[in-house]
Amino acid sequence: MEKPIVTAAQMKRCDSYTINHIGIPSLVLMERAALAVRDEILNALPIYLSHVVVVAGSGNNGGDGLAVARLLKIAGARVTILNVGNPDHASQEHQVQAHICQYYRIPQTSDLSVLDEASLIVDAIFGIGIDRPVAGHYVDVIKAMNDAKAFCVAVDMPSGINTDTGAVMGIAVKADLTVTFAFNKIGLTQNEGPQHAGRVVIADDMGTYWIDEHELADNQD
């Protein structure tokens, strides 16, 4: 079967089915996602490992980023985590990854000036989940990321790009490379999406099961 190009809702449906019906734990999918990003960075971007800054939101995309931070630290890179999300809204998976990062003693900060020192920035703020214009502190964060001189890798989607349309939601990260998970996303193929995504790598060996609406309905009967 030819791989589909999906919307955010389709991707969430496939993830949910894979986790809740097939039984692959969400943390396993998160680890597979982080490994895909790590492998691309280590294989394609080894000259940028002198100081990696992972910009992590509070959701599962941020959790992916924290796992990437740990894996790069293990690989010998210098890594700093820039926390930009609301810890009170952290997802369960994010909390698990944050706990692990504490044990690996990865430096963490909320000071945007750390971006000025970065050789590589990992964008793990929103992923596919954004459905409204970027606002508040996130605007300053994305501006600082775009002003930095570092190479930028987006995790799943450049933060601020609409997954379904490719439109910029007020402001968006300008990535040099995007590693997207399981299936390509419509927003990476049209409107401003391609210009903000840079080179797109599809990590299609995640183990995420493709299920369409009709198959899902049949399985629930």
Side-chain angles (χ1 to χ4, degrees):
M1 184 187 77
E2 184 177 348
K3 291 281 187 178
I5 302 176
V6 302
T7 64
Q10 288 173 319
M11 190 66 246
K12 290 174 183 177
R13 182 180 68 238
C14 291
D15 279 337
S16 177
Y17 190 85
T18 301
I19 293 164
N20 297 315
H21 292 271
I22 295 177
I24 299 177
S26 59
L27 284 169
V28 171
L29 292 180
M30 183 170 280
E31 192 75 3
R32 293 294 298 273
L35 285 165
V37 177
R38 180 208 64 177
D39 289 351
E40 190 63 29
I41 290 172
L42 293 182
N43 293 329
L45 308 170
I47 63 172
Y48 295 105
L49 296 179
S50 60
H51 189 190
V52 180
V53 175
V54 176
V55 186
S58 54
N60 280 1
N61 192 247
D64 292 339
L66 296 180
V68 171
R70 174 198 4 118
L71 293 168
L72 289 175
K73 173 74 180 294
I74 292 170
R78 178 190 172 199
V79 183
T80 301
I81 297 166
L82 175 59
N83 289 306
V84 299
N86 185 340
D88 294 334
H89 297 159
S91 69
Q92 183 176 357
E93 291 85 354
H94 184 286
Q95 292 175 46
V96 170
Q97 298 293 352
H99 180 73
I100 296 169
C101 284
Q102 291 174 3
Y103 274 85
Y104 279 83
R105 298 181 180 178
I106 302 172
Q108 302 195 35
T109 185
S110 58
D111 186 351
L112 296 183
S113 66
V114 73
L115 294 168
D116 298 332
E117 308 165 10
S119 56
L120 187 149
I121 295 169
V122 177
D123 164 28
I125 306 175
F126 297 134
I128 67 171
I130 189 167
D131 58 4
R132 57 186 181 275
V134 178
H137 179 57
Y138 293 112
V139 174
D140 296 331
V141 172
I142 292 176
K143 282 182 179 177
M145 292 169 70
N146 287 342
D147 288 342
K149 306 298 184 185
F151 194 96
C152 183
V153 176
V155 175
D156 212 10
M157 288 288 299
S159 293
I161 292 292
N162 185 290
T163 304
D164 296 349
T165 68
V168 174
M169 307 293 281
I171 188 172
V173 168
K174 192 78 180 290
D176 299 291
L177 167 70
T178 298
V179 181
T180 198
F181 304 135
F183 311 104
N184 201 0
K185 312 302 185 296
I186 291 174
L188 296 174
T189 69
Q190 62 186 28
N191 294 318
E192 294 96 338
Q195 289 72 40
H196 283 260
R199 182 168 68 90
V200 175
V201 173
I202 304 168
D204 57 3
D205 60 349
M206 298 281 300
T208 305
Y209 185 84
W210 168 254
I211 186 164
D212 62 27
E213 293 92 339
H214 303 295
E215 186 179 358
L216 181 64
D218 291 341
N219 288 352
Q220 291 178 337
D221 287 342

